[in-house]
Amino acid sequence: MSTSEKIREQCQELILTDKQMEEIMRRVLKEINNGLHKETQPTADVKCFITYVQDLPNGKEKGKFLALDLGGTNFRVLLIHLKDENDFEMLSKIYAIPQSIMLGSGTQLFDHIAECLANFMKEHAVYDEKLPLGFTFSFPLTQLGLTKGMLARWTKGFNCSGVVGEDVVQLLKDAIARRGDVQIEICAILNDTTGTLMSCAWKNHNCRIGLIVGTGSNACYVEKVENCEMFDGYKDPNKQHVLINTEWGAFGDNGALDFVRTEYDREIDHFSINKGRQIQEKMISGMYMGELARLAIVKFTKAGLLFGGVGSDILFKRGQFFTKYVSEIESDKPGTYSYCRDVLDELGLEHATDEDCANVRYICECVSSRAAHLVSAGIAALINKMDEKSVTVGVDGSVYRFHPKFHDLMVQKIRQFVKPDISFDLMLSEDGSGRGAALVAAVACREAH
């Protein structure tokens, strides 16, 4: 057996069979139903948080809105002016969140955000106006209303004290009040998946699912209120639907994905800061994809199947094979390896042969295809559950946006597993967490007035 054949044989475990896909779809559905029902929700992995967003944009929203987008190592403040249908102006600025604040106190975090908000309002001459704000907060939230959300747990490298179990809207309001210099009305708190769905629905009224495949992975979808036993408070009889934030990154925390997990998945989990949590996310998202590929490459190098058995210090160091490398390596035209060689050179593997390049590329393809297929199993399950004849899925996130084949892999797989009479399409979201937040605030204002 040739070296390449040995590598291909050992990569089989990274390839999901149709049978496995069907089983994953069954399990996703079961977990989502557990999250929707009162008696199973407390112990469910996939929490299916109610967002209390019941109105999609109709394109008639107008006015100036602020949006705040916090979901990763930096956050954005946006000023959005909605004009006529599908016409808007947007100004935004990105602010860094230093590691010391990501791991510091909640007070420090929200004071930092409030300060940046005030500076932004000064810069754009809206310092004296009272503007509605939509707050995208892309961490697991238990929502008790459109403007009340308790942080369930930190993810993605954050660990600020004094925030878990608290209402993050109140924490932001308190920080703004401590400054006492700007007037802001927080109209809604939402997750980036909700923002993605709203942003796409503004352009395409068929949008029923919002999906993120970026640093993390999550989805939200439109559910019938009657299926949402956790819906709290007044139910408007004219509103039959509500958006559900699945928080499906936690799918598999109870072992539901163990039958397809590999040694690489177990190693990533073992060295993560949230061991045993967000199991599906760790098999899909950009935070882990490069590391999954690195672990396989290291294994095959140590077995003498890659680079003549000679690795490098960088290759053997955790976290040094970035997810963007996977996208770059797969961007090479078949039979050419210019991007691949650039990456391997950066890793100190100048001695790689063409065969090594082909094998590294194959490993990357296995890891990224598995991610796309796992996401597709979830989306196909949701589309079949909603059973509407035509559905648009709004998608955002760096992996979906920048990986050269992710979109096509998903369309192909979803088509294979969705009921034959249902048509669907995937639409790249234009700035869901920014414009989407403003739209949720705009719709909330439209409803309130």
Side-chain angles (χ1 to χ4, degrees):
M1 199 187 260
S2 74
T3 309
S4 294
E5 282 165 356
K6 280 182 192 153
I7 289 177
R8 283 175 189 247
E9 185 183 55
Q10 289 185 44
C11 282
Q12 278 303 305
E13 59 176 347
L14 288 165
I15 298 167
L16 298 173
T17 65
D18 288 352
K19 262 210 164 52
Q20 288 172 325
M21 285 286 291
E22 283 163 4
E23 184 55 35
I24 290 166
M25 283 173 68
R26 262 198 298 280
R27 294 183 184 198
V28 166
L29 202 57
K30 181 179 170 217
E31 297 295 329
I32 284 173
N33 285 323
N34 284 346
L36 292 172
H37 291 115
K38 243 199 176 92
E39 68 275 16
T40 46
Q41 206 269 352
T43 55
D45 281 334
V46 180
K47 285 293 181 202
C48 289
F49 293 121
I50 312 261
T51 67
Y52 296 92
V53 173
Q54 293 191 265
D55 301 286
L56 296 182
N58 58 16
K60 296 186 170 59
E61 295 73 25
K62 284 187 178 55
K64 278 188 202 166
F65 303 89
L66 285 167
L68 174 62
D69 172 21
L70 173 67
T73 38
N74 45 40
F75 71 96
R76 287 183 310 156
V77 180
L78 305 98
L79 175 63
I80 295 168
H81 190 175
L82 297 174
K83 297 174 172 180
D84 294 316
E85 220 164 317
N86 287 349
D87 180 24
F88 72 102
E89 237 176 87
M90 187 160 92
L91 300 160
S92 67
K93 186 165 180 181
I94 293 178
Y95 299 89
I97 301 180
Q99 187 81 18
S100 60
I101 289 183
M102 282 172 76
L103 301 171
S105 73
T107 308
Q108 280 173 301
L109 175 69
F110 285 98
D111 281 346
H112 176 59
I113 291 170
E115 182 183 356
C116 297
L117 252 176
N119 290 343
F120 180 86
M121 289 176 79
K122 268 182 209 141
E123 276 170 43
H124 295 295
V126 289
Y127 192 63
D128 302 325
E129 298 180 42
K130 181 166 188 176
L131 295 177
L133 176 136
F135 181 13
T136 300
F137 184 79
S138 305
F139 299 94
L141 274 182
T142 303
Q143 279 193 247
L144 302 175
L146 204 47
T147 55
K148 196 171 167 99
M150 314 296 189
L151 176 64
R153 62 176 183 274
W154 286 114
T155 53
K156 293 181 283 197
F158 274 73
N159 205 359
C160 301
S161 58
V163 188
V164 171
E166 297 296 322
D167 175 10
V168 287
V169 174
Q170 196 55 51
L171 295 177
L172 179 59
K173 280 182 179 166
D174 292 347
I176 292 168
R178 277 195 291 275
R179 297 185 59 80
D181 60 345
V182 285
Q183 297 278 301
I184 294 169
E185 182 192 1
I186 303 173
C187 287
I189 183 163
L190 58 143
N191 185 278
D192 51 356
T193 51
T194 303
T196 296
L197 194 155
M198 293 296 271
S199 177
C200 289
W202 191 55
K203 285 196 162 167
N204 180 331
H205 299 319
N206 250 353
C207 190
R208 292 286 176 274
I209 297 178
L211 169 69
I212 302 283
V213 195
T215 310
S217 171
N218 191 15
C220 73
Y221 73 102
V222 175
E223 182 56 275
K224 296 187 182 81
V225 173
E226 65 192 48
N227 294 337
C228 303
E229 294 181 3
M230 302 299 292
F231 196 107
D232 207 21
Y234 172 69
K235 289 183 186 165
D236 183 334
N238 300 319
K239 295 179 183 177
Q240 320 249 302
H241 294 93
V242 64
L243 293 194
I244 295 293
N245 166 21
T246 64
E247 285 299 336
W248 80 9
F251 174 46
D253 288 11
N254 61 2
L257 283 169
D258 287 358
F259 77 111
V260 290
R261 286 173 78 213
T262 64
E263 62 189 277
Y264 317 121
D265 298 301
R266 289 188 286 275
E267 182 161 341
I268 280 199
D269 183 50
H270 181 74
F271 287 102
S272 67
I273 66 164
N274 55 348
K275 201 171 160 183
R277 315 293 296 260
Q278 300 298 97
I279 294 299
Q280 173 185 251
E281 183 165 84
K282 285 171 182 161
M283 297 174 77
I284 290 172
S285 83
M287 192 158 173
Y288 311 99
M289 192 185 282
E291 182 64 8
L292 280 169
R294 188 191 73 84
L295 291 170
I297 291 166
V298 165
K299 178 187 167 181
F300 295 135
T301 303
K302 288 184 170 166
L305 298 172
L306 277 175
F307 316 124
V310 180
S312 70
D313 290 349
I314 307 178
L315 176 66
F316 292 147
K317 197 166 165 222
R318 210 173 299 290
Q320 290 305 297
F321 192 95
F322 307 123
T323 293
K324 65 171 188 179
Y325 290 168
V326 176
S327 293
E328 285 167 9
I329 287 168
E330 290 191 54
S331 298
D332 277 324
K333 291 200 166 57
T336 66
Y337 304 110
S338 52
Y339 284 121
C340 187
R341 287 201 174 278
D342 290 347
V343 169
L344 295 178
D345 287 355
E346 274 182 58
L347 295 171
L349 299 163
E350 295 89 347
H351 55 285
T353 64
D354 273 3
E355 188 185 15
D356 288 330
C357 289
N359 286 328
V360 165
R361 178 179 174 134
Y362 182 76
I363 293 164
C364 289
E365 286 170 347
C366 288
V367 168
S368 63
S369 298
R370 186 185 71 159
H373 293 161
L374 264 174
V375 172
S376 302
I379 293 296
L382 284 179
I383 292 175
N384 288 341
K385 175 177 169 47
M386 292 192 297
D387 204 18
E388 294 196 22
K389 290 308 154 221
S390 170
V391 178
T392 295
V393 182
V395 196
D396 205 348
S398 48
V399 173
Y400 179 82
R401 214 172 256 280
F402 300 122
H403 187 281
K405 305 206 175 60
F406 215 84
H407 170 88
D408 296 342
L409 287 166
M410 280 187 66
V411 171
Q412 219 179 321
K413 251 325 154 205
I414 295 169
R415 181 65 279 161
Q416 189 183 340
F417 289 101
V418 155
K419 296 173 187 170
D421 60 330
I422 295 179
S423 70
F424 72 93
D425 63 322
L426 305 185
M427 168 182 180
L428 181 64
S429 160
E430 303 293 331
D431 190 34
S433 27
R435 195 175 72 198
L439 282 163
V440 175
V443 171
C445 285
R446 182 189 83 196
E447 286 294 304
H449 302 128

